[in-house]
Amino acid sequence: MDPPLATLTDQIKRLARELGFACAGVAKVQPMAADAERLQTWLAAGYHGSMDYMAETAEVRADIAHPKLLADARSVLVLATPYAHARPTSGLEPGRVARYAQGRDYHALLYDRTRPLKRLLRAHGASARACVDTMPALERAWAVRAGLGFIGKNACVIVPGVGSHLLLTLVVTSAELVPDTPIEERCGSCRLCLDACPTGAFVAPRVLDARRCISYLTIEHEGGIDDELRAGMGSWLFGCDACQDVCPFNRGKPSEAELSQPFAALDRWDELAAEDLLRMDEAGFDAYSRRTPLRRPGRAGMARNAAIVLGNVGDKRHLPILQQSAERDASPVVRDAARWACRRIEARTQPNESEDEELDRRVRLAAAKAG
Ligand code: SF4
Ligand code: SF4
């Protein structure tokens, strides 16, 4: 082993920890034939739904040394940042926001954190480029190769001792760093995550049909959501943590460092209720969602999600605002979701005629017997 390379690798990993990354691993750039094939099979099945960018970038995604990324890439530094310890049920009551989205938008923050790493690599004559969802790459596959963790049956990267509530960042470089050794998959016979999915989105362990996944439906998907999937959304307004929250690898207690990390839940989620999303105009939503992940689905997407959540919660108190949205919202998608929610609440709260008839029949029968 070349001592200078080992030294540079150690320096890089030490600096990564000083910068706030909880874990760092290195993978050697090699062809990813098996991962590329898995991606193609997944795309061919249509599991990516309307995420056309996944298909459009498949070739680049499977080749980190693609000229559009970094043609002289030799190593990938994979960094993980835990976000797990935001409040598990925080956000716009009675709705819920997935843990990773409860804090400020993380892209710029993590990207900025990689700057000293890139500077160090460049000072050693290497090229370097960072990726925080900012270029097409198979982040989870690289995390496995870099020995950071394994892919659980819930399709998430699991770092033993840390869990799966992680944000992944890549630094691709032409430096030949010392690679780490991948670890074995450790799910064993467990299948808690597969059974916990409220919409049955797992086609098989590690194979997710995004079209049925609440994360995709509430964040990426524009337009209406199938009636069949609406009830399964429960109270999820943005994203879903169900298949991670049941995982035994996520049961660890947060460290002080994790509790004070910059992705802590924002107080603003406690200031409003889910129904307020139905009252907001574009300008109001723009101000409310600024610098947060909730911006992505836009005003209409979040109002649609809120209507479905209120329909699932089934509280008559929400009928007036839902009726108003069903009649007047600018978006046909929101109007449709609000109409569905009204019907659902009314169906739940109206007396059930067949039950009443059955009760009458029993009363008459009992009276006849007694008489
Ligand atoms: S995020 Fe939720 S909906 Fe998506 S696969 Fe996991 S449990 Fe299912
Ligand atoms: S819940 Fe069980 S099967 Fe699913 S990822 Fe965690 S350990 Fe693996």
Side-chain angles (χ1 to χ4, degrees), residues 152-154 158 187 190-193 243 246-249:
K153 289 180 190 173
N154 59 6
I158 298 176
C187 286
C190 176
R191 50 170 294 122
L192 287 171
C193 53
C243 58
V246 294
C247 180
F249 286 97

Side-chain angles (χ1 to χ4, degrees), residues 196-199 201-202 208 212-215 240 242-243:
C197 178
T199 47
F202 289 107
L208 184 70
R212 298 188 67 84
C213 174
I214 296 164
S215 286
C240 166
C243 58

Side-chain angles (χ1 to χ4, degrees), residues 278-291:
L278 291 164
R279 295 196 178 93
M280 275 182 199
D281 59 12
E282 295 289 345
F285 181 76
D286 185 67
Y288 183 65
S289 62
R290 195 163 294 153
R291 287 192 286 280

Side-chain angles (χ1 to χ4, degrees), residues 13 19 24 60 103 141 154 194 202 208 212 221 264 312 324 332 349:
K13 287 185 176 176
L19 291 166
V60 183
N154 59 6
L194 307 180
F202 289 107
L208 184 70
R212 298 188 67 84
H221 177 67
N312 287 334
Q324 189 179 314
T349 51

Side-chain angles (χ1 to χ4, degrees), residues 118-131:
K118 288 185 288 184
R119 270 200 297 275
L120 179 58
L121 287 162
R122 287 173 187 149
H124 284 77
S127 54
R129 190 170 171 191
C131 167

Side-chain angles (χ1 to χ4, degrees), residues 1-342:
M1 186 185 296
D2 186 344
L5 292 180
T7 306
L8 178 59
T9 307
D10 285 346
Q11 276 179 3
I12 288 281
K13 287 185 176 176
R14 199 164 45 244
L15 179 58
R17 278 191 291 275
E18 285 166 16
L19 291 166
F21 293 106
C23 321
V26 172
K28 185 178 166 67
V29 170
Q30 283 175 327
M32 310 183 89
D35 296 295
E37 200 181 318
R38 258 194 299 278
L39 175 62
Q40 283 303 343
T41 307
W42 187 77
L43 291 167
Y47 294 150
H48 59 302
S50 60
M51 293 183 285
D52 293 338
Y53 61 88
M54 292 291 293
E56 285 156 12
T57 58
E59 188 194 331
V60 183
R61 209 170 273 277
D63 177 14
I64 203 102
H66 193 281
K68 286 187 178 165
L69 300 180
L70 195 74
D72 58 353
R74 289 198 189 88
S75 306
V76 181
L77 174 69
V78 186
L79 306 156
T81 310
Y83 62 79
H85 307 300
R87 292 163 291 174
T89 54
S90 173
L92 293 155
E93 295 289 325
R96 284 188 291 172
V97 173
R99 292 173 192 249
Y100 87 90
Q102 291 173 13
R104 55 188 279 202
D105 190 277
Y106 56 87
H107 292 89
L109 191 141
L110 291 180
Y111 193 83
D112 281 347
R113 266 193 194 170
T114 65
R115 289 184 199 281
L117 293 165
K118 288 185 288 184
R119 270 200 297 275
L120 179 58
L121 287 162
R122 287 173 187 149
H124 284 77
S127 54
R129 190 170 171 191
C131 167
V132 190
D133 291 341
T134 44
M135 60 187 208
L138 297 176
E139 289 96 343
R140 289 175 302 159
W142 284 111
V144 171
R145 286 170 174 232
L148 230 58
F150 63 93
I151 309 257
K153 289 180 190 173
N154 59 6
C156 298
V157 173
I158 298 176
V159 177
V162 178
S164 68
H165 293 114
L166 300 166
L167 301 169
L168 293 175
T169 304
L170 307 185
V171 177
V172 191
T173 175
S174 63
E176 276 196 55
L177 301 175
V178 181
D180 289 289
T181 310
I183 63 169
E184 291 291 311
E185 180 268 302
R186 299 189 193 172
C187 286
S189 60
C190 176
R191 50 170 294 122
L192 287 171
C193 53
L194 307 180
D195 296 336
C197 178
T199 47
F202 289 107
V203 182
R206 302 176 186 84
V207 183
L208 184 70
D209 182 348
R211 296 168 303 182
R212 298 188 67 84
C213 174
I214 296 164
S215 286
Y216 163 81
L217 292 169
T218 55
I219 303 169
E220 298 283 344
H221 177 67
E222 291 174 12
I225 293 175
D226 285 354
D227 281 12
E228 182 217 349
L229 298 167
R230 288 175 177 174
M233 282 170 58
S235 54
W236 289 110
L237 264 179
F238 183 101
C240 166
D241 287 322
C243 58
Q244 295 195 74
D245 282 350
V246 294
C247 180
F249 286 97
N250 285 329
R251 287 191 192 140
K253 207 161 170 266
S255 67
E256 279 306 308
E258 285 167 330
L259 287 169
S260 61
Q261 48 84 11
F263 306 108
L266 299 172
D267 290 338
R268 85 174 72 163
W269 308 136
D270 294 330
E271 289 162 9
L272 295 180
E275 64 189 272
D276 293 316
L277 289 168
L278 291 164
R279 295 196 178 93
M280 275 182 199
D281 59 12
E282 295 289 345
F285 181 76
D286 185 67
Y288 183 65
S289 62
R290 195 163 294 153
R291 287 192 286 280
T292 79
L294 266 64
R295 200 170 185 76
R296 189 168 171 87
R299 198 273 322 163
M302 287 303 290
R304 169 201 64 189
N305 299 347
I308 294 173
V309 164
L310 296 181
N312 287 334
V313 168
D315 188 334
K316 265 173 106 168
R317 187 168 55 88
H318 297 129
L319 275 174
I321 179 64
L322 284 166
Q323 278 155 354
Q324 189 179 314
S325 297
E327 285 164 22
R328 294 190 221 151
D329 196 282
S331 158
V333 169
V334 179
R335 293 200 298 273
D336 177 62
R339 275 195 297 273
W340 174 87
C342 290

